[in-house]
Amino acid sequence: MARRVLVIGLAVTGAAVVRYCLDRGDDVTVIDDRPDGDAAWRETAEQVRAAGVEVVAAPEPSHAAALAASVDLVVPSPGVPERHAAIAAARRHGVPVRSEIDLAGEVAATAGRPALVAVTGTNGKTTVTTLATDMLVRAGVRAVAAGNIGRPLLEAVHDDAAVVVAEVSSFQLAFTEHLVPRAAALLNLGPDHLDWHRTFEAYARAKANVFAHQRGDDVLVFNADDPVVA
C-alpha cells in the first residue's frame, strides 16, 4: 500500500530511500536543512523533483514539524538528531520513525534473502565488515559489503548476493525496530557521539538494537570478557 513518506536529508542515504519509496509507489517529500547544498546535492534534488518529489530546502522548524505530522512514515538520514523538529513532531503524533537500514531489513525479510550480517561497535566496524566480506567471498559465497561503509544497505539488498555484510552506526540503529540480522557483531563500546545521544546509556541502547530483534537461531558475536559489552 502506498504511503506518504517524509525523508530527512538528501545525501547518499536519503537519495536511496527516495528511490526505494518511489519504486513502491509512495508519495515522497524531502526536507534538507542545507539551503542549496553542493553541486551533487543540487543535481540529486533536480532528479527527484523531476520524478514528482517535493524537496523543501532549509524549512522552518514549524514547517518541518507540520510535514512530519501529516505523513505515514519519517525516514531520517544518519546523523539527523533525535531533537530535529520533524522527528520530535512525528513522535508526538505517533508517526513511525525508521532508518534506511530498518527498511532494508524489512525488504530482506520479506524476500527471504539476502542473509544479513550486521557489524557495529565504537571502533573497528569498517575493518571487520571488510574482512568478513572478503572471507565470505574467498569461501565461495556471493557476499557484498554495505551500510555505513559506503553503499546504502537499501540498495545492496536488491543485489544478487547471498549475504550482505553491513556496517551499521548508532545513528542508524537508534531508529531500528525491524532489522533482524542472521548474524550480528557488537565489537566494543566506548563514549562516542554523546552530542547526539546525550548519554552513554542512550548510545549503548542504540547499539544494542543490532541484536534486539534476533531470533533463537540467529548468531551474536561479542566479547564476553568485556564488562561494558557483556
Side-chain angles (χ1 to χ4, degrees):
M1 184 172 64
R3 305 166 296 190
R4 296 166 299 166
V5 181
L6 178 66
V7 178
I8 309 176
L10 193 56
V12 174
T13 298
V17 172
V18 169
R19 288 190 293 270
Y20 163 73
C21 290
L22 289 175
D23 285 346
R24 69 181 307 279
D26 293 330
D27 180 10
V28 184
T29 300
V30 174
I31 59 174
D32 199 310
D33 293 335
R34 295 176 296 183
D36 295 307
D38 55 21
W41 184 93
R42 290 193 295 273
E43 181 179 355
T44 302
E46 290 174 4
Q47 290 172 350
V48 300
R49 282 183 174 124
V53 174
E54 180 184 6
V55 179
V56 182
E60 292 293 329
S62 59
H63 188 191
L67 287 170
S70 68
V71 298
D72 304 307
L73 173 66
V74 172
V75 184
S77 295
V80 175
E82 289 185 291
R83 58 186 177 274
H84 191 284
I87 295 175
R91 288 183 162 164
R92 285 196 305 272
H93 291 273
V95 177
V97 180
R98 300 177 60 189
S99 65
E100 171 260 341
I101 64 170
D102 203 39
L103 299 178
E106 184 177 55
V107 170
T110 300
R113 57 170 296 278
L116 298 180
V117 176
V119 179
T120 197
T122 302
N123 298 301
K125 296 185 294 295
T126 300
T127 300
V128 172
T129 299
T130 302
L131 286 173
T133 305
D134 287 349
M135 290 168 66
L136 287 165
V137 170
R138 288 174 181 268
V141 178
R142 297 191 314 278
V144 296
N148 205 47
I149 199 170
R151 188 180 180 206
L153 183 58
L154 196 50
E155 291 183 354
V157 293
H158 290 97
D159 284 355
D160 184 27
V163 179
V164 176
V165 184
E167 176 186 334
V168 293
S169 71
S170 61
F171 303 139
Q172 297 164 314
L173 289 167
F175 301 114
T176 301
E177 297 180 358
H178 303 279
L179 181 70
V180 185
R182 182 67 183 85
L186 178 56
L187 305 178
N188 45 59
L189 279 177
D192 199 14
H193 303 306
L194 299 189
D195 56 332
W196 196 96
H197 293 282
R198 303 292 183 94
T199 67
F200 178 71
E201 290 73 20
Y203 172 67
R205 283 195 300 271
K207 288 291 193 183
N209 277 339
V210 76
F211 62 82
H213 306 287
Q214 286 187 299
R215 300 153 302 200
D217 59 344
D218 294 327
V219 176
L220 171 63
V221 179
F222 67 99
N223 181 2
D225 293 327
D226 183 337
V228 177
V229 172

